[in-house]
Amino acid sequence: MNVSKIIEVYPKPKEIEVKIDFTFDYIAFDDSGEDILPFEAYKRYKKRDTLIAVAKIKSDSCESGYGFIIFDEELEESGVVDASLFQDENAKGD
């Protein structure tokens, strides 16, 4: 069972810089036909890309034990990513 706890919510979203190339997997929806169909999608992020973090979490699902809830404005998608993927002096919890 994955357990997550929000450590900090950023009142003003925080920009965090990617330090390791990674792929962000998410579920997208195709609404071009009569039915709205879900499909797996992904976006590749490269070192030095910047993402928007809205909160920091402590989570069993993150390899480092900590993560960020990020929001990608282009995709209009959010998700949890491991804190070890980012340059952040506060990547570890308090």
Side-chain angles (χ1 to χ4, degrees):
M1 181 169 116
N2 289 335
V3 178
S4 297
K5 177 182 175 185
I6 294 177
I7 296 172
E8 182 178 0
V9 174
Y10 303 125
K12 203 174 187 183
K14 178 178 180 177
E15 290 187 350
I16 52 177
E17 185 178 301
V18 175
K19 75 174 183 181
I20 299 171
D21 293 2
F22 75 97
T23 302
F24 175 58
D25 300 318
Y26 63 98
I27 302 295
F29 295 91
D30 178 2
D31 60 356
S32 61
E34 289 183 24
D35 298 322
I36 298 175
L37 303 170
F39 64 94
E40 290 183 40
Y42 66 92
K43 182 174 180 181
R44 187 106 177 110
Y45 294 102
K46 297 191 177 277
K47 186 175 183 176
R48 296 192 179 91
D49 284 349
T50 302
L51 293 176
I52 304 297
V54 295
K56 184 179 358 177
I57 64 168
K58 183 173 183 175
S59 177
D60 294 345
S61 65
C62 295
E63 192 173 311
S64 70
Y66 295 91
F68 292 104
I69 298 173
I70 58 125
F71 180 73
D72 185 301
E73 292 176 324
E74 178 185 339
L75 300 175
E76 295 183 350
E77 293 288 336
S78 62
V80 173
V81 290
D82 195 292
S84 66
L85 300 172
F86 297 94
Q87 302 282 0
D88 184 83
E89 65 283 358
N90 299 314
K92 297 283 184 190
D94 302 323

